[in-house]
Amino acid sequence: MKPDYYLSEEIFRREQEKVFTRLWIFFGLTTMLADHNSFIARTLSGIPVVVQNFNNRLRAFENICLHRQNALQWEDSGKRPLVCRYHGWGYNAEGFAENIPSDAEIYRFDPKERSGLTLRSFHLEVIGKLVFINLSADPLPIAEQFPAEFIESLRSSSEMYDSEVLVARVRTRFNWKLAYENLRDANHPPFVHAQTLAKSVDFHAVIDEAQHRRSENVCEGAASGDRTRQMELLRSFSFGGPDTALNELKPLEWHGAVDRFGNLEHYYNWLAYPNLHIASGSGGYSFTLEQHNPVAPGVTELVVYWLTAKKKRPYPAMAAVLQASLNGGFRVLEEDIRIMEMVQKNLHAGAPLPRQGDYEYLNKMVEKWYSDLMDGDFEI
Amino acid sequence: MKSKLIVGTGDFLDIAFDAWRAKMPDADVKRHDIAQDRSHNFDLEFLDGYSPGETTMFAAFDNRFLNFKRLELMGAIKGRGFQMEPYIGVGALVGAGARIGENSFISDGAVIGAQARLQHNIYVGPRAVIGYASQIGQSAWIEAAVVIGRRAKIGAQVLLGEGVSIAEQVEIGRMCLLDMPGHYRENLPEKVFYVFPFDGPVRIFN
């Protein structure tokens, strides 16, 4: 895409407004929200959000106390009531400030103001064990963003996730879009991951002629304000399931302790537009979820979840399995990060536009859709 | 005198073998470089050639797999009835009333404070200082020059990397991995990892 899309502060702000506050964004796993008062707190598009379990009902609120703007939950996740540590204001499942210590004595809000002390809430959807948030007051139905078969694939695969999950965060110096252009590019692994991933999976870039012709049709047209057509295009950016056969699936002791997802010795791959990638490089025995959260045009927070398929018996060394995955799996991610940081570092306003081949039909379509959204008159 | 067999692999096997040989110059100290199959299971057949009445053993395996592999190896040897006394380095200082469990390795130059309690299978590197009355859980791995304050509690299978110090009375949960140099002043729950290049702690939730 044109360099401005990766560099410009103004486009970044527009992107936050037009993409990240309109689309459903992955927020976390229900397994981390299983108990009453368990919560996950994160910042989406600059807005601190907390998802909290109230007696098995998940609710999403702005994570700012209405009194003096303190964060209600400080940790990334945990288990405690939705009570502010500053002056003790406690909120209920509706986000209402149900308990204000010394309310009548020292605050003396008038009844109308008091009854309106309710946190801003956000829409929340759960697919299998995946929690999605939409920051819009009037969100599009999630089925408009993701195709039905993709939602079903996310649901059935995530139902097989184990509850023991390792979560890691790392701040990277590249624009989030580079990560997904890279993930949609099957020609990079033999070069970037020659000593790691490409040893176990033979990724081959192929030209899907029908998709290639479709991308030519999409890209040749002028900017389209036809929302139906644009939303149909958006849905085609999210897909997933078994991808490429593994060269070898090395048997590991812990495999016998989990209920494997599927029975294919394949690399599984799910891409959920805009910023969630799920993979299983172990034929369904384990999963990696990667989310690339935009922080600034050249800064992206990468959050990675490592987990196995659901345990069918206790396995005391599972923490060591996850820690080993962190060591091995992050090596592959680091290889991608190194490339993308180099691309980002080299970009400038006059940098040449990418010259993409026919196998890159998907990236071409995403680029067209994105530029129509950023610079055209269509809105999600 | 019984013979001693040092079982393990890699640098720790070399270090432990040399240390035991120096400590027991007149004893028959041997080493066995243990193999693992494709699934990382130990090949333990060699144990059939030894008798607990004639040989004592020491398991010298590094901290991989959150110290589970060294614990597994020790358990397999111990389960066959072999004695596995700890190694206390010639130049280590062990304070009054300190207790050190089986198959632990206290390197030369380490200081174990008085009344400290070290469970089994713990590695303490050279120049590490274990504070007065502190408690170290089984299979912990404490690198060279780590400092643990008095009455601190270090959970089982914890790894403390180089440049780490633990403030007095702090409790570190089991299976934590603190491999970023620094002074840790707050209690940590179990399974928290401070490792490069991640921002903040890596955590395992369950």
Side-chain angles (χ1 to χ4, degrees):
Chain A
M1 290 202 254
K2 63 183 184 184
D4 269 5
Y5 286 159
Y6 308 90
L7 298 170
S8 158
E9 291 281 355
E10 192 279 318
I11 288 177
F12 181 80
R13 279 192 295 277
R14 217 187 309 163
E15 179 187 90
Q16 289 286 302
E17 168 56 32
K18 289 192 158 196
V19 178
F20 286 91
T21 62
R22 303 293 177 89
L23 291 179
W24 291 93
I25 305 296
F26 174 68
F27 195 80
L29 296 164
T30 57
T31 51
M32 295 167 69
L33 294 161
D35 301 325
H36 175 58
N37 279 334
S38 54
F39 68 87
I40 299 174
R42 297 182 50 193
T43 298
L44 296 181
S45 296
I47 299 171
V49 177
V50 57
V51 171
Q52 178 119 0
N53 179 327
F54 292 90
N55 293 306
N56 294 324
R57 194 170 152 223
L58 297 184
R59 301 278 284 133
F61 297 113
E62 189 165 19
N63 189 23
I64 297 181
C65 182
L66 297 173
H67 177 216
R68 292 286 298 279
Q69 300 160 313
N70 180 40
L72 291 164
Q73 300 292 16
W74 291 3
E75 296 81 15
D76 293 337
S77 62
K79 187 159 66 171
R80 65 182 287 278
L82 195 58
V83 174
C84 183
R85 287 173 163 102
Y86 201 174
H87 300 91
W89 286 34
Y91 296 87
N92 66 16
E94 308 312 316
F96 176 63
E98 194 171 52
N99 180 38
I100 300 179
S102 308
D103 187 356
E105 294 85 347
I106 62 172
Y107 292 96
R108 301 203 303 200
F109 293 115
D110 70 56
K112 190 178 171 204
E113 185 179 14
R114 179 69 184 84
S115 65
L117 291 175
T118 302
L119 298 170
R120 179 183 173 193
S121 64
F122 301 108
H123 293 268
L124 178 153
E125 288 273 1
V126 175
I127 299 175
K129 291 184 177 172
L130 308 171
V131 178
F132 290 84
I133 293 290
N134 194 304
L135 295 175
S136 167
D138 183 21
L140 78 164
I142 201 163
E144 268 204 63
Q145 180 173 333
F146 300 135
E149 63 273 22
F150 178 69
I151 290 176
E152 176 52 26
S153 182
L154 281 186
R155 189 200 59 73
S156 61
S157 54
S158 69
E159 290 291 1
M160 296 303 291
Y161 294 174
D162 192 47
S163 58
E164 194 166 1
V165 53
L166 181 150
V167 184
R169 288 178 164 72
V170 65
R171 192 162 276 221
T172 58
R173 289 164 298 171
F174 60 82
N175 185 280
W176 70 277
K177 294 187 286 296
L178 289 174
Y180 291 87
E181 289 161 14
N182 183 60
L183 285 162
R184 290 187 288 261
D185 172 6
N187 193 34
H188 85 275
F191 300 96
V192 178
H193 307 302
Q195 299 305 314
T196 52
L197 185 61
K199 282 189 164 176
S200 55
V201 195
D202 290 328
F203 290 102
H204 289 295
V206 289
I207 298 173
D208 180 325
E209 294 295 349
Q211 288 286 356
H212 165 54
R213 281 194 296 278
R214 182 168 169 245
S215 80
E216 286 193 322
N217 288 336
V218 166
C219 296
E220 276 166 9
S224 170
D226 179 347
R227 189 177 181 282
T228 305
R229 183 171 164 236
Q230 295 285 19
M231 294 309 286
E232 187 188 332
L233 197 52
L234 166 67
R235 281 191 293 281
S236 70
F237 304 155
S238 297
F239 54 89
D243 189 308
T244 306
L246 298 169
N247 294 338
E248 181 195 29
L249 182 59
K250 189 176 162 188
L252 295 171
E253 188 191 77
W254 62 268
H255 286 176
V258 305
D259 234 343
R260 180 185 185 185
F261 167 67
N263 55 7
L264 295 174
E265 300 207 348
H266 272 58
Y267 183 89
Y268 288 84
N269 202 26
W270 290 267
L271 277 171
Y273 193 86
N275 65 339
L276 175 65
H277 174 230
I278 305 174
S280 173
S282 59
Y285 283 108
S286 62
F287 301 88
T288 309
L289 283 69
E290 301 154 20
Q291 189 177 31
H292 299 77
N293 299 307
V295 176
V299 182
T300 296
E301 181 201 44
L302 171 59
V303 185
V304 191
Y305 305 72
W306 271 281
L307 48 99
T308 66
K310 209 181 283 182
K311 284 194 280 289
K312 54 189 179 192
R313 60 177 166 82
Y315 190 78
M318 196 52 88
V321 170
L322 297 176
Q323 192 255 335
S325 306
L326 174 75
N327 286 346
F330 196 72
R331 213 177 136 204
V332 178
L333 290 177
E334 266 186 316
E335 290 168 342
D336 286 320
I337 291 169
R338 202 174 302 131
I339 292 280
M340 291 181 288
E341 289 191 334
M342 190 52 71
V343 171
Q344 182 79 32
K345 190 179 166 190
N346 254 12
L347 280 175
H348 60 94
L353 293 173
R355 303 296 289 266
Q356 302 188 94
D358 287 355
Y359 84 95
E360 292 165 288
Y361 50 83
L362 193 52
N363 273 335
K364 290 179 189 173
M365 286 193 283
V366 173
E367 176 180 337
K368 172 67 173 150
W369 179 88
Y370 180 88
S371 54
D372 282 357
L373 181 65
M374 287 294 116
D375 303 327
D377 55 4
F378 119 80
E379 300 282 340
I380 291 171
Chain B
M1 181 183 268
K2 285 182 179 180
S3 65
K4 180 167 285 290
L5 183 67
I6 317 300
V7 183
T9 195
D11 288 348
F12 191 28
L13 174 60
D14 295 341
I15 291 166
F17 175 64
D18 289 343
W20 276 107
R21 218 166 36 161
K23 186 163 184 167
M24 302 171 70
D26 301 326
D28 177 19
V29 180
K30 298 190 183 96
R31 56 184 283 163
H32 178 84
D33 201 331
I34 194 163
Q36 294 178 79
D37 66 16
R38 289 177 70 237
S39 302
H40 305 295
N41 296 312
F42 289 122
D43 178 359
L44 296 165
E45 260 185 43
F46 73 96
L47 287 173
D48 297 340
Y50 296 90
S51 152
E54 295 164 359
T55 306
T56 64
M57 297 221 180
F58 188 86
F61 207 82
D62 62 22
N63 56 43
R64 76 188 73 169
F65 218 54
L66 290 181
N67 293 299
F68 268 105
K69 294 307 287 185
R70 190 169 76 263
L71 179 60
E72 181 189 331
L73 180 59
M74 181 198 172
I77 296 170
K78 185 79 185 154
R80 285 166 168 78
F82 291 96
Q83 286 188 343
M84 305 184 80
E85 73 238 57
Y87 170 84
I88 314 287
V90 179
L93 295 175
V94 178
R99 287 189 209 158
I100 296 168
E102 285 184 296
N103 203 60
S104 286
F105 188 95
I106 313 300
S107 301
D108 285 357
V111 177
I112 311 296
Q115 307 299 332
R117 298 280 181 273
L118 279 69
Q119 293 186 338
H120 56 274
N121 205 36
I122 291 164
Y123 170 82
V124 179
R127 294 178 289 111
V129 177
I130 311 294
Y132 166 78
S134 54
Q135 298 176 30
I136 317 291
Q138 56 90 3
S139 303
W141 185 278
I142 296 157
E143 272 296 350
V146 164
V147 176
I148 296 174
R150 65 185 169 84
R151 296 191 186 281
K153 290 183 181 170
I154 309 299
Q157 293 173 254
V158 162
L159 185 149
L160 303 180
E162 286 179 12
V164 164
S165 65
I166 306 291
E168 61 186 40
Q169 301 190 59
V170 161
E171 297 185 16
I172 305 295
R174 70 193 183 103
M175 294 190 221
C176 282
L177 199 163
L178 309 185
D179 205 14
M180 297 274 263
H183 188 54
Y184 293 80
R185 296 184 303 163
E186 293 187 2
N187 295 347
L188 291 178
E190 66 177 29
K191 302 174 188 172
V192 174
F193 309 149
Y194 279 89
V195 287
F196 182 81
F198 299 101
D199 298 323
V202 173
R203 290 183 60 188
I204 292 180
F205 299 92
N206 195 5

